[in-house]
Amino acid sequence: MRFTFVKVPEHRKFKHDPIYYDADKEEREERERRIRLEMGLKTEEDHRSFDTRIRGQMRRRIKTPFEVTRSARKKSNLRLIVILLALMALFYYLLQAGYEWYSRFL
């Protein structure tokens, strides 16, 4: 028996027992799927593959922040430079006004 000061927690285990499980329904659906494949009919998987293709196309069209175009970056940088220049001009004006106010009282 080992004594430790710190208890190391165990990993959490996930155990899920389905509440409503119908084995007959599972067998029936599997049988229907096999029959549809043999007859050449469309199955639900075909519809799912269509959905995944649509999702994939949407993902390719939606741009992430890392895919920002060069012109957008230039606009952003230009805006930042203009803001910095305006702040520097305001700071310089306030320094000059403060110096004039200070020199009046001396």
Side-chain angles (χ1 to χ4, degrees):
M1 181 178 231
R2 226 171 49 173
F3 293 103
T4 60
F5 292 108
V6 179
K7 180 183 176 188
V8 179
E10 291 185 21
H11 65 280
R12 297 173 77 183
K13 299 172 185 154
F14 178 77
K15 183 176 183 241
H16 174 70
D17 296 324
I19 297 172
Y20 303 107
Y21 176 72
D22 189 6
D24 295 332
K25 180 181 174 186
E26 293 288 327
E27 289 176 17
R28 186 177 60 246
E29 287 176 352
E30 179 61 28
R31 218 175 25 245
E32 287 176 6
R33 188 185 65 79
R34 277 189 280 123
I35 292 171
R36 286 180 191 269
L37 284 175
E38 289 173 3
M39 294 177 67
L41 299 174
K42 289 189 177 186
T43 61
E44 290 181 18
E45 288 85 23
D46 295 338
H47 296 295
R48 289 183 191 145
S49 66
F50 180 72
D51 292 343
T52 57
R53 279 187 282 142
I54 290 175
R55 279 191 213 114
Q57 290 172 356
M58 289 298 290
R59 284 188 190 124
R60 283 191 292 271
R61 288 183 184 171
I62 296 173
K63 293 189 177 191
T64 63
F66 298 109
E67 298 172 348
V68 177
T69 61
R70 180 177 286 187
S71 62
R73 277 191 230 134
K74 283 184 180 180
K75 287 179 185 177
S76 174
N77 289 341
L78 182 63
R79 188 178 309 127
L80 180 65
I81 289 170
V82 168
I83 291 171
L84 286 175
L85 288 174
L87 286 174
M88 287 173 36
L90 179 68
F91 184 71
Y92 180 75
Y93 173 75
L94 290 175
L95 278 177
Q96 289 298 328
Y99 179 73
E100 289 174 9
W101 180 79
Y102 181 72
S103 63
R104 284 184 197 160
F105 291 106
L106 286 179

Tab-separated table of all heavy atoms in Angstrom, residues 35-86:
chain	number	residue	atom	x	y	z
A	35	ILE	N	-31.254	-5.108	-49.670
A	35	ILE	CA	-32.154	-5.283	-50.808
A	35	ILE	C	-32.062	-4.087	-51.745
A	35	ILE	O	-32.014	-4.234	-52.969
A	35	ILE	CB	-33.606	-5.514	-50.323
A	35	ILE	CG1	-33.711	-6.870	-49.622
A	35	ILE	CG2	-34.589	-5.408	-51.475
A	35	ILE	CD1	-35.024	-7.114	-48.916
A	36	ARG	N	-32.033	-2.870	-51.188
A	36	ARG	CA	-31.912	-1.676	-52.018
A	36	ARG	C	-30.611	-1.691	-52.811
A	36	ARG	O	-30.577	-1.290	-53.973
A	36	ARG	CB	-31.985	-0.418	-51.163
A	36	ARG	CG	-33.362	-0.098	-50.660
A	36	ARG	CD	-33.317	1.181	-49.823
A	36	ARG	NE	-34.565	1.383	-49.120
A	36	ARG	CZ	-35.587	2.069	-49.612
A	36	ARG	NH1	-35.506	2.587	-50.810
A	36	ARG	NH2	-36.691	2.209	-48.914
A	37	LEU	N	-29.512	-2.127	-52.174
A	37	LEU	CA	-28.242	-2.199	-52.885
A	37	LEU	C	-28.318	-3.204	-54.028
A	37	LEU	O	-27.794	-2.969	-55.114
A	37	LEU	CB	-27.109	-2.577	-51.923
A	37	LEU	CG	-26.624	-1.476	-50.998
A	37	LEU	CD1	-25.602	-2.014	-50.012
A	37	LEU	CD2	-26.015	-0.341	-51.808
A	38	GLU	N	-28.946	-4.356	-53.783
A	38	GLU	CA	-29.061	-5.370	-54.822
A	38	GLU	C	-29.917	-4.890	-55.985
A	38	GLU	O	-29.635	-5.200	-57.145
A	38	GLU	CB	-29.662	-6.658	-54.237
A	38	GLU	CG	-28.728	-7.395	-53.306
A	38	GLU	CD	-29.402	-8.567	-52.628
A	38	GLU	OE1	-30.587	-8.844	-52.917
A	38	GLU	OE2	-28.748	-9.216	-51.787
A	39	MET	N	-30.963	-4.113	-55.679
A	39	MET	CA	-31.857	-3.629	-56.728
A	39	MET	C	-31.319	-2.373	-57.404
A	39	MET	O	-31.823	-1.954	-58.441
A	39	MET	CB	-33.249	-3.359	-56.150
A	39	MET	CG	-33.946	-4.614	-55.667
A	39	MET	SD	-35.526	-4.271	-54.928
A	39	MET	CE	-36.443	-3.702	-56.335
A	40	GLY	N	-30.313	-1.762	-56.832
A	40	GLY	CA	-29.732	-0.560	-57.418
A	40	GLY	C	-30.481	0.705	-57.074
A	40	GLY	O	-30.350	1.710	-57.763
A	41	LEU	N	-31.283	0.689	-56.044
A	41	LEU	CA	-32.022	1.884	-55.622
A	41	LEU	C	-31.134	2.764	-54.763
A	41	LEU	O	-30.152	2.313	-54.168
A	41	LEU	CB	-33.271	1.479	-54.836
A	41	LEU	CG	-34.299	0.638	-55.594
A	41	LEU	CD1	-35.407	0.200	-54.646
A	41	LEU	CD2	-34.874	1.429	-56.748
A	42	LYS	N	-31.505	4.016	-54.681
A	42	LYS	CA	-30.733	4.931	-53.843
A	42	LYS	C	-31.000	4.640	-52.377
A	42	LYS	O	-32.108	4.323	-51.981
A	42	LYS	CB	-31.101	6.380	-54.144
A	42	LYS	CG	-30.604	6.838	-55.474
A	42	LYS	CD	-30.806	8.313	-55.627
A	42	LYS	CE	-30.223	8.758	-56.943
A	42	LYS	NZ	-30.256	10.200	-57.084
A	43	THR	N	-29.951	4.767	-51.606
A	43	THR	CA	-30.072	4.533	-50.172
A	43	THR	C	-29.882	5.843	-49.419
A	43	THR	O	-29.585	6.875	-50.012
A	43	THR	CB	-29.001	3.521	-49.697
A	43	THR	OG1	-27.712	4.069	-49.970
A	43	THR	CG2	-29.165	2.198	-50.412
A	44	GLU	N	-30.034	5.781	-48.116
A	44	GLU	CA	-29.843	6.979	-47.295
A	44	GLU	C	-28.401	7.449	-47.332
A	44	GLU	O	-28.122	8.629	-47.217
A	44	GLU	CB	-30.262	6.684	-45.853
A	44	GLU	CG	-31.749	6.498	-45.682
A	44	GLU	CD	-32.119	6.234	-44.240
A	44	GLU	OE1	-31.298	6.529	-43.360
A	44	GLU	OE2	-33.227	5.741	-44.012
A	45	GLU	N	-27.467	6.503	-47.508
A	45	GLU	CA	-26.063	6.894	-47.575
A	45	GLU	C	-25.795	7.795	-48.768
A	45	GLU	O	-24.954	8.680	-48.725
A	45	GLU	CB	-25.145	5.664	-47.626
A	45	GLU	CG	-25.041	4.913	-46.320
A	45	GLU	CD	-26.171	3.907	-46.134
A	45	GLU	OE1	-26.766	3.488	-47.139
A	45	GLU	OE2	-26.455	3.568	-44.980
A	46	ASP	N	-26.523	7.542	-49.890
A	46	ASP	CA	-26.363	8.396	-51.059
A	46	ASP	C	-26.788	9.825	-50.737
A	46	ASP	O	-26.139	10.782	-51.150
A	46	ASP	CB	-27.188	7.867	-52.231
A	46	ASP	CG	-26.695	6.521	-52.722
A	46	ASP	OD1	-25.517	6.201	-52.462
A	46	ASP	OD2	-27.486	5.797	-53.354
A	47	HIS	N	-27.888	9.957	-50.014
A	47	HIS	CA	-28.342	11.292	-49.619
A	47	HIS	C	-27.342	11.929	-48.668
A	47	HIS	O	-27.083	13.120	-48.750
A	47	HIS	CB	-29.723	11.230	-48.965
A	47	HIS	CG	-30.783	10.748	-49.899
A	47	HIS	ND1	-31.153	11.452	-51.019
A	47	HIS	CD2	-31.549	9.628	-49.885
A	47	HIS	CE1	-32.107	10.802	-51.659
A	47	HIS	NE2	-32.379	9.680	-50.990
A	48	ARG	N	-26.776	11.150	-47.787
A	48	ARG	CA	-25.779	11.690	-46.848
A	48	ARG	C	-24.543	12.167	-47.598
A	48	ARG	O	-23.960	13.186	-47.261
A	48	ARG	CB	-25.401	10.641	-45.802
A	48	ARG	CG	-26.497	10.375	-44.822
A	48	ARG	CD	-26.059	9.390	-43.773
A	48	ARG	NE	-27.206	8.960	-43.003
A	48	ARG	CZ	-27.373	7.765	-42.527
A	48	ARG	NH1	-26.466	6.846	-42.711
A	48	ARG	NH2	-28.452	7.464	-41.840
A	49	SER	N	-24.126	11.413	-48.609
A	49	SER	CA	-22.950	11.831	-49.358
A	49	SER	C	-23.223	13.149	-50.083
A	49	SER	O	-22.344	13.991	-50.206
A	49	SER	CB	-22.521	10.748	-50.352
A	49	SER	OG	-23.513	10.589	-51.348
A	50	PHE	N	-24.459	13.335	-50.559
A	50	PHE	CA	-24.827	14.603	-51.186
A	50	PHE	C	-24.719	15.737	-50.176
A	50	PHE	O	-24.191	16.809	-50.490
A	50	PHE	CB	-26.249	14.501	-51.738
A	50	PHE	CG	-26.733	15.751	-52.395
A	50	PHE	CD1	-26.237	16.145	-53.623
A	50	PHE	CD2	-27.678	16.551	-51.767
A	50	PHE	CE1	-26.680	17.304	-54.230
A	50	PHE	CE2	-28.125	17.701	-52.366
A	50	PHE	CZ	-27.622	18.083	-53.600
A	51	ASP	N	-25.217	15.499	-48.959
A	51	ASP	CA	-25.125	16.527	-47.914
A	51	ASP	C	-23.682	16.857	-47.595
A	51	ASP	O	-23.330	18.020	-47.407
A	51	ASP	CB	-25.846	16.063	-46.647
A	51	ASP	CG	-27.355	15.975	-46.834
A	51	ASP	OD1	-27.857	16.564	-47.808
A	51	ASP	OD2	-28.016	15.310	-46.008
A	52	THR	N	-22.833	15.853	-47.511
A	52	THR	CA	-21.430	16.118	-47.188
A	52	THR	C	-20.756	16.880	-48.315
A	52	THR	O	-19.891	17.713	-48.057
A	52	THR	CB	-20.670	14.815	-46.895
A	52	THR	OG1	-20.797	13.943	-48.025
A	52	THR	CG2	-21.186	14.146	-45.659
A	53	ARG	N	-21.142	16.616	-49.568
A	53	ARG	CA	-20.561	17.384	-50.669
A	53	ARG	C	-20.968	18.842	-50.578
A	53	ARG	O	-20.162	19.742	-50.804
A	53	ARG	CB	-20.995	16.802	-52.016
A	53	ARG	CG	-20.179	15.593	-52.423
A	53	ARG	CD	-20.529	15.168	-53.816
A	53	ARG	NE	-21.793	14.438	-53.752
A	53	ARG	CZ	-22.746	14.513	-54.656
A	53	ARG	NH1	-22.601	15.275	-55.706
A	53	ARG	NH2	-23.860	13.824	-54.522
A	54	ILE	N	-22.215	19.105	-50.231
A	54	ILE	CA	-22.675	20.492	-50.091
A	54	ILE	C	-21.917	21.176	-48.963
A	54	ILE	O	-21.449	22.302	-49.101
A	54	ILE	CB	-24.195	20.536	-49.839
A	54	ILE	CG1	-24.934	20.129	-51.107
A	54	ILE	CG2	-24.624	21.922	-49.401
A	54	ILE	CD1	-26.423	20.034	-50.926
A	55	ARG	N	-21.774	20.474	-47.849
A	55	ARG	CA	-21.044	21.069	-46.725
A	55	ARG	C	-19.606	21.373	-47.112
A	55	ARG	O	-19.049	22.397	-46.742
A	55	ARG	CB	-21.074	20.127	-45.525
A	55	ARG	CG	-22.334	20.216	-44.750
A	55	ARG	CD	-22.208	19.477	-43.432
A	55	ARG	NE	-23.508	18.926	-43.111
A	55	ARG	CZ	-23.806	17.654	-43.047
A	55	ARG	NH1	-22.880	16.746	-43.237
A	55	ARG	NH2	-25.018	17.255	-42.759
A	56	GLY	N	-18.985	20.457	-47.850
A	56	GLY	CA	-17.606	20.674	-48.270
A	56	GLY	C	-17.469	21.882	-49.165
A	56	GLY	O	-16.518	22.657	-49.053
A	57	GLN	N	-18.432	22.077	-50.078
A	57	GLN	CA	-18.387	23.234	-50.953
A	57	GLN	C	-18.564	24.521	-50.165
A	57	GLN	O	-17.903	25.517	-50.430
A	57	GLN	CB	-19.468	23.122	-52.024
A	57	GLN	CG	-19.191	22.044	-53.044
A	57	GLN	CD	-20.363	21.832	-53.986
A	57	GLN	OE1	-21.416	22.451	-53.836
A	57	GLN	NE2	-20.183	20.946	-54.944
A	58	MET	N	-19.443	24.496	-49.171
A	58	MET	CA	-19.649	25.690	-48.354
A	58	MET	C	-18.393	26.020	-47.563
A	58	MET	O	-18.025	27.183	-47.423
A	58	MET	CB	-20.827	25.491	-47.400
A	58	MET	CG	-22.164	25.474	-48.080
A	58	MET	SD	-22.525	27.029	-48.901
A	58	MET	CE	-22.777	28.083	-47.496
A	59	ARG	N	-17.721	25.001	-47.055
A	59	ARG	CA	-16.493	25.252	-46.296
A	59	ARG	C	-15.430	25.880	-47.187
A	59	ARG	O	-14.651	26.713	-46.745
A	59	ARG	CB	-15.961	23.954	-45.699
A	59	ARG	CG	-16.738	23.502	-44.513
A	59	ARG	CD	-16.075	22.328	-43.840
A	59	ARG	NE	-16.959	21.765	-42.859
A	59	ARG	CZ	-17.346	20.505	-42.822
A	59	ARG	NH1	-16.901	19.660	-43.722
A	59	ARG	NH2	-18.160	20.080	-41.901
A	60	ARG	N	-15.366	25.449	-48.439
A	60	ARG	CA	-14.365	26.019	-49.337
A	60	ARG	C	-14.683	27.462	-49.685
A	60	ARG	O	-13.782	28.265	-49.918
A	60	ARG	CB	-14.273	25.187	-50.615
A	60	ARG	CG	-13.500	23.902	-50.424
A	60	ARG	CD	-13.220	23.264	-51.768
A	60	ARG	NE	-14.439	22.781	-52.418
A	60	ARG	CZ	-14.959	21.585	-52.256
A	60	ARG	NH1	-14.383	20.732	-51.443
A	60	ARG	NH2	-16.051	21.233	-52.898
A	61	ARG	N	-15.972	27.822	-49.737
A	61	ARG	CA	-16.349	29.177	-50.117
A	61	ARG	C	-16.237	30.171	-48.967
A	61	ARG	O	-15.988	31.345	-49.185
A	61	ARG	CB	-17.781	29.192	-50.647
A	61	ARG	CG	-17.887	28.551	-51.993
A	61	ARG	CD	-19.276	28.640	-52.507
A	61	ARG	NE	-19.392	27.920	-53.777
A	61	ARG	CZ	-20.513	27.684	-54.379
A	61	ARG	NH1	-21.643	28.092	-53.856
A	61	ARG	NH2	-20.532	27.021	-55.505
A	62	ILE	N	-16.456	29.714	-47.751
A	62	ILE	CA	-16.393	30.609	-46.598
A	62	ILE	C	-14.933	30.827	-46.239
A	62	ILE	O	-14.190	29.883	-46.031
A	62	ILE	CB	-17.166	30.018	-45.403
A	62	ILE	CG1	-18.647	29.898	-45.749
A	62	ILE	CG2	-16.964	30.874	-44.158
A	62	ILE	CD1	-19.448	29.173	-44.704
A	63	LYS	N	-14.533	32.077	-46.172
A	63	LYS	CA	-13.144	32.384	-45.884
A	63	LYS	C	-12.930	32.498	-44.380
A	63	LYS	O	-13.730	33.073	-43.670
A	63	LYS	CB	-12.735	33.685	-46.560
A	63	LYS	CG	-12.724	33.569	-48.051
A	63	LYS	CD	-12.118	34.769	-48.683
A	63	LYS	CE	-12.081	34.554	-50.182
A	63	LYS	NZ	-11.290	35.529	-50.854
A	64	THR	N	-11.833	31.953	-43.951
A	64	THR	CA	-11.457	32.050	-42.547
A	64	THR	C	-10.630	33.308	-42.351
A	64	THR	O	-10.164	33.907	-43.324
A	64	THR	CB	-10.647	30.815	-42.124
A	64	THR	OG1	-9.437	30.774	-42.886
A	64	THR	CG2	-11.440	29.537	-42.347
A	65	PRO	N	-10.400	33.716	-41.105
A	65	PRO	CA	-9.575	34.912	-40.875
A	65	PRO	C	-8.167	34.777	-41.439
A	65	PRO	O	-7.526	35.766	-41.750
A	65	PRO	CB	-9.533	35.022	-39.356
A	65	PRO	CG	-10.744	34.315	-38.890
A	65	PRO	CD	-11.010	33.235	-39.880
A	66	PHE	N	-7.680	33.558	-41.590
A	66	PHE	CA	-6.341	33.357	-42.113
A	66	PHE	C	-6.288	33.506	-43.630
A	66	PHE	O	-5.231	33.600	-44.217
A	66	PHE	CB	-5.820	31.975	-41.720
A	66	PHE	CG	-5.718	31.806	-40.241
A	66	PHE	CD1	-6.584	30.970	-39.566
A	66	PHE	CD2	-4.776	32.499	-39.513
A	66	PHE	CE1	-6.494	30.824	-38.203
A	66	PHE	CE2	-4.685	32.360	-38.149
A	66	PHE	CZ	-5.540	31.519	-37.491
A	67	GLU	N	-7.445	33.522	-44.271
A	67	GLU	CA	-7.503	33.625	-45.726
A	67	GLU	C	-7.902	35.021	-46.186
A	67	GLU	O	-8.457	35.188	-47.262
A	67	GLU	CB	-8.500	32.599	-46.264
A	67	GLU	CG	-8.131	31.181	-45.971
A	67	GLU	CD	-9.238	30.220	-46.340
A	67	GLU	OE1	-10.368	30.686	-46.602
A	67	GLU	OE2	-8.980	29.021	-46.367
A	68	VAL	N	-7.624	36.007	-45.380
A	68	VAL	CA	-7.991	37.378	-45.731
A	68	VAL	C	-7.156	37.804	-46.937
A	68	VAL	O	-5.969	37.514	-47.030
A	68	VAL	CB	-7.738	38.322	-44.537
A	68	VAL	CG1	-8.039	39.743	-44.910
A	68	VAL	CG2	-8.577	37.903	-43.365
A	69	THR	N	-7.787	38.490	-47.851
A	69	THR	CA	-7.093	38.886	-49.074
A	69	THR	C	-6.053	39.957	-48.800
A	69	THR	O	-6.067	40.644	-47.768
A	69	THR	CB	-8.094	39.400	-50.110
A	69	THR	OG1	-8.742	40.540	-49.559
A	69	THR	CG2	-9.098	38.332	-50.476
A	70	ARG	N	-5.161	40.116	-49.750
A	70	ARG	CA	-4.077	41.089	-49.617
A	70	ARG	C	-4.623	42.517	-49.545
A	70	ARG	O	-4.144	43.338	-48.760
A	70	ARG	CB	-3.128	40.950	-50.794
A	70	ARG	CG	-1.972	41.923	-50.727
A	70	ARG	CD	-1.040	41.707	-51.868
A	70	ARG	NE	-0.292	40.480	-51.615
A	70	ARG	CZ	0.706	40.064	-52.360
A	70	ARG	NH1	1.052	40.742	-53.424
A	70	ARG	NH2	1.334	38.966	-52.059
A	71	SER	N	-5.648	42.810	-50.322
A	71	SER	CA	-6.197	44.172	-50.309
A	71	SER	C	-6.826	44.496	-48.953
A	71	SER	O	-6.728	45.630	-48.473
A	71	SER	CB	-7.226	44.344	-51.419
A	71	SER	OG	-8.312	43.464	-51.210
A	72	ALA	N	-7.457	43.524	-48.333
A	72	ALA	CA	-8.047	43.759	-47.015
A	72	ALA	C	-6.952	44.037	-45.990
A	72	ALA	O	-7.113	44.880	-45.106
A	72	ALA	CB	-8.888	42.570	-46.587
A	73	ARG	N	-5.837	43.310	-46.091
A	73	ARG	CA	-4.719	43.569	-45.168
A	73	ARG	C	-4.154	44.968	-45.383
A	73	ARG	O	-3.814	45.660	-44.417
A	73	ARG	CB	-3.621	42.525	-45.374
A	73	ARG	CG	-3.884	41.259	-44.642
A	73	ARG	CD	-2.659	40.363	-44.663
A	73	ARG	NE	-3.100	39.066	-45.088
A	73	ARG	CZ	-2.543	38.300	-45.986
A	73	ARG	NH1	-1.442	38.693	-46.578
A	73	ARG	NH2	-3.038	37.142	-46.293
A	74	LYS	N	-4.031	45.380	-46.650
A	74	LYS	CA	-3.499	46.720	-46.928
A	74	LYS	C	-4.413	47.795	-46.353
A	74	LYS	O	-3.943	48.767	-45.765
A	74	LYS	CB	-3.346	46.922	-48.434
A	74	LYS	CG	-2.145	46.232	-49.017
A	74	LYS	CD	-2.020	46.555	-50.493
A	74	LYS	CE	-0.816	45.867	-51.101
A	74	LYS	NZ	-0.676	46.171	-52.522
A	75	LYS	N	-5.725	47.622	-46.526
A	75	LYS	CA	-6.668	48.587	-45.984
A	75	LYS	C	-6.550	48.666	-44.465
A	75	LYS	O	-6.574	49.745	-43.871
A	75	LYS	CB	-8.091	48.216	-46.360
A	75	LYS	CG	-8.429	48.451	-47.804
A	75	LYS	CD	-9.853	48.020	-48.097
A	75	LYS	CE	-10.182	48.137	-49.561
A	75	LYS	NZ	-11.540	47.643	-49.860
A	76	SER	N	-6.406	47.514	-43.846
A	76	SER	CA	-6.301	47.483	-42.399
A	76	SER	C	-5.022	48.183	-41.932
A	76	SER	O	-5.044	48.957	-40.972
A	76	SER	CB	-6.314	46.032	-41.922
A	76	SER	OG	-6.069	45.966	-40.547
A	77	ASN	N	-3.920	47.930	-42.604
A	77	ASN	CA	-2.657	48.566	-42.233
A	77	ASN	C	-2.714	50.076	-42.451
A	77	ASN	O	-2.214	50.854	-41.627
A	77	ASN	CB	-1.502	47.963	-43.033
A	77	ASN	CG	-1.196	46.556	-42.591
A	77	ASN	OD1	-1.564	46.139	-41.502
A	77	ASN	ND2	-0.529	45.802	-43.451
A	78	LEU	N	-3.313	50.508	-43.545
A	78	LEU	CA	-3.432	51.941	-43.825
A	78	LEU	C	-4.287	52.625	-42.757
A	78	LEU	O	-3.941	53.703	-42.262
A	78	LEU	CB	-4.038	52.163	-45.208
A	78	LEU	CG	-4.179	53.612	-45.651
A	78	LEU	CD1	-2.809	54.261	-45.752
A	78	LEU	CD2	-4.909	53.680	-46.967
A	79	ARG	N	-5.379	52.003	-42.382
A	79	ARG	CA	-6.248	52.550	-41.344
A	79	ARG	C	-5.483	52.681	-40.021
A	79	ARG	O	-5.602	53.688	-39.316
A	79	ARG	CB	-7.456	51.639	-41.167
A	79	ARG	CG	-8.509	52.203	-40.260
A	79	ARG	CD	-9.727	51.293	-40.141
A	79	ARG	NE	-10.249	50.894	-41.440
A	79	ARG	CZ	-10.467	49.639	-41.822
A	79	ARG	NH1	-10.201	48.650	-40.998
A	79	ARG	NH2	-10.938	49.357	-43.010
A	80	LEU	N	-4.686	51.685	-39.692
A	80	LEU	CA	-3.896	51.720	-38.458
A	80	LEU	C	-2.893	52.869	-38.485
A	80	LEU	O	-2.732	53.594	-37.488
A	80	LEU	CB	-3.177	50.383	-38.266
A	80	LEU	CG	-2.319	50.258	-37.020
A	80	LEU	CD1	-3.188	50.321	-35.770
A	80	LEU	CD2	-1.535	48.973	-37.062
A	81	ILE	N	-2.240	53.078	-39.612
A	81	ILE	CA	-1.258	54.165	-39.725
A	81	ILE	C	-1.946	55.516	-39.580
A	81	ILE	O	-1.439	56.410	-38.881
A	81	ILE	CB	-0.506	54.061	-41.070
A	81	ILE	CG1	0.427	52.847	-41.032
A	81	ILE	CG2	0.289	55.320	-41.360
A	81	ILE	CD1	1.045	52.507	-42.363
A	82	VAL	N	-3.100	55.693	-40.195
A	82	VAL	CA	-3.834	56.963	-40.085
A	82	VAL	C	-4.239	57.222	-38.638
A	82	VAL	O	-4.099	58.345	-38.129
A	82	VAL	CB	-5.065	56.956	-41.027
A	82	VAL	CG1	-5.989	58.119	-40.732
A	82	VAL	CG2	-4.625	56.957	-42.472
A	83	ILE	N	-4.708	56.213	-37.954
A	83	ILE	CA	-5.101	56.371	-36.550
A	83	ILE	C	-3.901	56.741	-35.694
A	83	ILE	O	-3.978	57.631	-34.832
A	83	ILE	CB	-5.801	55.098	-36.038
A	83	ILE	CG1	-7.164	54.943	-36.710
A	83	ILE	CG2	-5.958	55.124	-34.524
A	83	ILE	CD1	-7.845	53.619	-36.434
A	84	LEU	N	-2.766	56.076	-35.913
A	84	LEU	CA	-1.561	56.399	-35.143
A	84	LEU	C	-1.097	57.828	-35.398
A	84	LEU	O	-0.701	58.536	-34.458
A	84	LEU	CB	-0.445	55.412	-35.471
A	84	LEU	CG	-0.605	54.011	-34.884
A	84	LEU	CD1	0.500	53.108	-35.380
A	84	LEU	CD2	-0.606	54.066	-33.370
A	85	LEU	N	-1.124	58.264	-36.656
A	85	LEU	CA	-0.735	59.651	-36.950
A	85	LEU	C	-1.668	60.646	-36.280
A	85	LEU	O	-1.221	61.671	-35.740
A	85	LEU	CB	-0.706	59.877	-38.466
A	85	LEU	CG	0.452	59.202	-39.215
A	85	LEU	CD1	0.278	59.392	-40.716
A	85	LEU	CD2	1.778	59.761	-38.742
A	86	ALA	N	-2.956	60.384	-36.284
A	86	ALA	CA	-3.915	61.283	-35.636
A	86	ALA	C	-3.655	61.340	-34.130
A	86	ALA	O	-3.696	62.424	-33.525
A	86	ALA	CB	-5.338	60.818	-35.917
